[in-house]
Amino acid sequence: KHYCPRMATMNKPTYAAIQSHSPVKPTLVFVSSRRQTRLTAFDLIAFAAADEAPKQFIHLTDSELQHILMQVRDSNLKHTISFGIGLHHAGLAESDRTLVEELFARNKIQVLVSTATLAWGVNLPAHLVVVKGTEFYDGKTKRYVDYPITDVLQMMGRAGRPQFDQNGKAVILVHEPKKNFYKKFLYEPFPVESNLPEVLHDHINAEIVGGTITTPQDAIDYLTWTYFFRRLLVNPSYYSLEDADTENVNSFLSNLVNKVVTDLQGSGCIDLEEGEDGTVGLVPLTLGRIASYYYLHHTTVRLFSDLIEDQNDMDSLLDIVANAPEYDELPVRHNEDKMNGEMATEARISVPSYSLDSP
């Protein structure tokens, strides 16, 4: 709630942090969206102008600057670079991103305002890192959510240039109710939990196809060698287990494997085969092999198997593919539904207006 006004109020503290901690050294400012890169950069320019030092962040001669500006394609970037502030996000042309990275790495521009993806991608360390806000818009849930802790750590990790600095500085600007949480996070270690249960179906299916798992007991044994099992014993409540008593753990793993086997069988990925000694074997089927080979979710191959027929036309095939669960992970960014609506008017196939914000 009130996300955009809150981001706007963080621009002055961002400028103050630069003046206090890195007045002449490179600074990375991480924001959550492409729009925020532009708005943040414009406000930093305004604050610098108010201090009667609008060009304080640029370290280029006028002739060098004019030569560089002729190469820039994005109009907003052209404006901000002239004041020594770069923008970096996926919406820029590759040539613009490469140019900005080079200018920042050579300290020709002192400030780079970037989306959080830069923290994982390009190696551009700075003396000061400012994390402006710890939330981003999640298109899947259609609301603002917190960055994963690993992302915040990765951003902070960009602070400090080993070849130039003895130390680095990181400033996290955060909503007041979350301040204590981030203080605790900075000074106390957080446990790393396992997400294996969320994707267990596909891992078990792959092991069945590969021949590593041939019975439900093999699947249980397989789980005991995972990090998930180690965390289950240490922090059982996180995984909805009352306590780590041996009997409870065994029952929990058996139920988990039985559910996975039932789901995979229902998706047509595996079959159950009773052996002569009465043991139940897990046999991979064609759909399971396809799912494993192409890294598809088991529900995706079931969807394709159920709906794709000889008489499908292009419209229905596109609808089937678009409904694959894999697309659930692709967010529709804030306001991109409007762009989708504009493109829909040019599409050969009609697009319902209610689906414009759907991945």
Side-chain angles (χ1 to χ4, degrees):
K1 192 177 180 181
H2 308 308
Y3 177 80
C4 291
R6 187 160 66 249
M7 291 300 102
T9 61
M10 289 181 179
N11 288 333
K12 191 162 188 177
T14 298
Y15 179 75
I18 296 172
Q19 295 299 312
S20 299
H21 303 297
S22 187
V24 295
K25 292 182 178 181
T27 298
L28 264 173
V29 181
F30 286 111
V31 296
S32 65
S33 68
R34 303 175 188 182
R35 180 171 178 267
Q36 282 298 324
T37 61
R38 173 172 52 84
L39 296 178
T40 302
F42 285 177
D43 269 9
L44 291 178
I45 292 170
F47 291 130
D51 279 351
E52 299 183 355
K55 300 283 187 177
Q56 61 180 291
F57 299 133
I58 191 159
H59 308 297
L60 292 164
T61 65
D62 288 343
S63 58
E64 288 174 330
L65 177 61
Q66 292 306 316
H67 176 70
I68 287 169
L69 292 179
M70 290 173 61
Q71 305 174 47
V72 179
R73 297 169 59 180
D74 184 87
S75 58
N76 291 319
L77 179 61
K78 187 173 292 190
H79 175 68
T80 61
I81 279 186
S82 62
F83 293 93
I85 299 176
L87 307 178
H88 196 288
H89 56 72
L92 292 175
E94 180 68 29
S95 58
D96 282 354
R97 289 203 304 272
T98 302
L99 178 62
V100 168
E101 291 166 11
E102 182 182 341
L103 290 173
F104 185 73
R106 291 165 52 203
N107 202 23
K108 298 298 183 182
I109 57 174
Q110 188 181 325
V111 179
L112 182 59
V113 187
S114 169
T115 50
T117 50
L118 178 70
W120 293 101
V122 185
N123 183 25
L124 286 176
H127 178 70
L128 170 67
V129 166
V130 179
V131 181
K132 201 191 108 178
T134 57
E135 299 167 314
F136 70 100
Y137 184 77
D138 180 20
K140 187 177 179 181
T141 58
K142 298 183 179 62
R143 62 189 180 93
Y144 287 96
V145 298
D146 289 319
Y147 285 125
I149 293 298
T150 49
D151 282 16
V152 177
L153 284 172
Q154 187 72 14
M155 291 182 229
M156 293 172 58
R158 294 299 186 189
R161 301 169 300 162
Q163 66 272 46
F164 301 115
D165 299 328
Q166 294 296 318
N167 54 50
K169 297 180 180 179
V171 173
I172 302 178
L173 302 177
V174 62
H175 193 199
E176 182 67 31
K178 299 173 184 174
K179 192 173 179 180
N180 288 334
F181 168 80
Y182 278 95
K183 278 186 176 179
K184 184 179 177 68
F185 142 69
L186 286 173
Y187 298 110
E188 297 179 21
F190 272 69
V192 178
E193 299 297 347
S194 172
N195 283 326
L196 180 61
E198 298 175 14
V199 291
L200 186 58
H201 293 74
D202 300 320
H203 284 273
I204 294 293
N205 179 64
E207 298 297 343
I208 293 172
V209 170
T212 306
I213 293 176
T214 58
T215 67
Q217 184 59 47
D218 287 346
I220 294 174
D221 293 342
Y222 169 85
L223 287 177
T224 62
W225 289 93
T226 63
Y227 181 70
F228 159 63
F229 180 71
R230 299 290 180 266
R231 291 306 305 168
L232 181 66
L233 298 180
V234 175
N235 190 10
S237 60
Y238 183 85
Y239 304 96
S240 303
L241 182 63
E242 290 184 6
D243 59 63
D245 178 79
T246 302
E247 186 176 342
N248 285 340
V249 170
N250 289 339
S251 176
F252 178 85
L253 293 179
S254 296
N255 291 335
L256 183 61
V257 168
N258 287 337
K259 184 182 184 308
V260 168
V261 168
T262 300
D263 290 345
L264 289 176
Q265 188 181 19
S267 295
C269 293
I270 66 170
D271 200 5
L272 304 184
E273 190 177 84
E274 189 170 345
E276 295 180 357
D277 57 355
T279 58
V280 176
L282 305 178
V283 181
L285 301 178
T286 301
L287 290 182
R289 295 183 187 279
I290 292 172
S292 175
Y293 186 82
Y294 291 105
Y295 296 94
L296 296 175
H297 196 268
H298 72 98
T299 56
T300 299
V301 292
R302 179 178 180 177
L303 175 75
F304 291 170
S305 176
D306 289 345
L307 299 182
I308 295 179
E309 300 172 341
D310 292 340
Q311 61 268 32
N312 283 115
D313 57 12
M314 182 58 71
D315 291 14
S316 64
L317 286 173
L318 283 173
D319 185 62
I320 292 168
V321 172
N323 280 293
E326 279 75 5
Y327 287 112
D328 293 343
E329 302 302 318
L330 295 179
V332 177
R333 295 184 180 91
H334 194 47
N335 288 329
E336 277 191 346
D337 54 330
K338 298 176 183 177
M339 188 183 302
N340 289 340
E342 293 172 6
M343 292 191 293
T345 61
E346 306 293 330
R348 181 177 65 83
I349 301 171
S350 63
V351 180
S353 58
Y354 63 79
S355 67
L356 295 176
D357 61 350
S358 168

